[in-house]
Amino acid sequence: GNSVTQMEGPVTLSEEAFLTINCTYTATGYPSLFWYVQYPGEGLQLLLKATKADDKGSNKGFEATYRKETTSFHLEKGSVQVSDSAVYFCALPNSGYSTLTFGKGTMLLVSP
Amino acid sequence: SQTIHQWPATLVQPVGSPLSLECTVEGTSNPNLYWYRQAAGRGLQLLFYSVGIGQISSEVPQNLSASRPQDRQFILSSKKLLLSDSGFYLCAWSQRGGGQPQHFGDGTRLSIL
């Protein structure tokens, strides 16, 4: 079945630093890809998505490009803020498309 | 716009007591519905999902059960809670059709004493 691998965290950055969180996937076909964010004590929120190869999803300064050649969907942000401290999940539909497969999550800690 | 409601927000229950967590979705029809558990740490474990009224798929065999009595209502239950049932429970919904994103509720923090 489809699977996703995320870099282990925590990722610790200073405010205004550049962020990359790696995500690679294995999948049958070319499914949509998603990034979710979970702030402390809250549910997951859809951060961005891409539906086909070379698509770039973007939201709140975050970006991720659907790379078919490298089967990757890395999350980037040019200048992080303390308020970006959260856990980030990469996800894609399972091979049956009824459910999503989530990565294990990467915790981001941003200090002032 | 669509909204998802999940309650209660926090719950403290003794071992062996029953459980009922409720989730409702507004603003959409015929959604897929999901229950997840998130133990200490951050990984998500899919417990149940439903593609229609009365249709429940179980991903993990355990002492929990789920029901979908109405199109936009999803209930997670247990007859007797175990210590290992502690965790953060999340309900989610998605549109029908392949590869749709899921949208999550605010979660229920369940502590078993």
Side-chain angles (χ1 to χ4, degrees):
Chain A
N2 296 350
S3 65
V4 60
T5 302
Q6 280 184 244
M7 62 187 292
E8 297 221 2
V11 174
T12 304
L13 296 173
S14 298
E15 204 165 26
E16 299 184 2
F18 185 85
L19 168 70
T20 300
I21 298 178
N22 291 339
C23 171
T24 57
Y25 66 89
T26 57
T28 303
Y30 303 104
S32 297
L33 301 174
F34 309 104
W35 274 103
Y36 284 82
V37 59
Q38 185 179 29
Y39 299 102
E42 298 183 9
L44 278 71
Q45 300 175 25
L46 179 65
L47 180 59
L48 54 82
K49 66 179 181 181
T51 58
K52 60 182 186 297
D54 299 325
D55 259 4
K56 177 184 284 187
S58 61
N59 186 25
K60 299 181 180 180
F62 290 89
E63 294 182 339
T65 301
Y66 192 156
R67 302 285 189 197
K68 179 178 63 174
E69 301 80 9
T70 54
T71 62
S72 64
F73 193 52
H74 303 323
L75 183 68
E76 297 181 334
K77 186 175 186 183
S79 176
V80 293
Q81 306 300 311
V82 172
S83 57
D84 294 326
S85 298
V87 180
Y88 293 81
F89 293 89
C90 186
L92 78 167
N94 74 350
S95 53
Y97 282 83
S98 296
T99 61
L100 295 181
T101 296
F102 287 86
K104 293 183 178 180
T106 302
M107 181 178 288
L108 171 64
L109 300 171
V110 181
S111 57
Chain B
S1 64
Q2 301 92 354
T3 55
I4 179 169
H5 302 282
Q6 195 182 334
W7 68 92
T10 59
L11 189 59
V12 180
Q13 293 285 93
V15 171
S17 63
L19 172 74
S20 180
L21 302 180
E22 190 162 342
C23 172
T24 59
V25 180
E26 295 178 357
T28 187
S29 297
N30 304 315
N32 289 346
L33 296 171
Y34 308 86
W35 278 112
Y36 290 88
R37 178 168 60 200
Q38 193 174 30
R42 28 176 215 277
L44 286 169
Q45 180 185 35
L46 178 63
L47 301 176
F48 301 96
Y49 70 95
S50 171
V51 298
I53 296 174
Q55 301 179 58
I56 309 294
S57 297
S58 174
E59 293 291 302
V60 183
Q62 53 198 329
N63 69 319
L64 299 173
S65 62
S67 62
R68 185 171 178 172
Q70 299 180 44
D71 180 46
R72 291 169 290 176
Q73 184 184 28
F74 205 24
I75 298 172
L76 182 69
S77 303
S78 175
K79 292 182 179 178
K80 285 186 177 182
L81 286 167
L82 306 173
L83 281 174
S84 58
D85 292 323
S86 293
F88 192 48
Y89 287 81
L90 291 159
C91 183
W93 73 274
S94 72
Q95 299 279 14
R96 295 285 180 85
Q100 298 294 325
Q102 292 177 14
H103 307 278
F104 286 78
D106 291 334
T108 295
R109 177 74 58 191
L110 176 63
S111 299
I112 310 299
L113 302 179

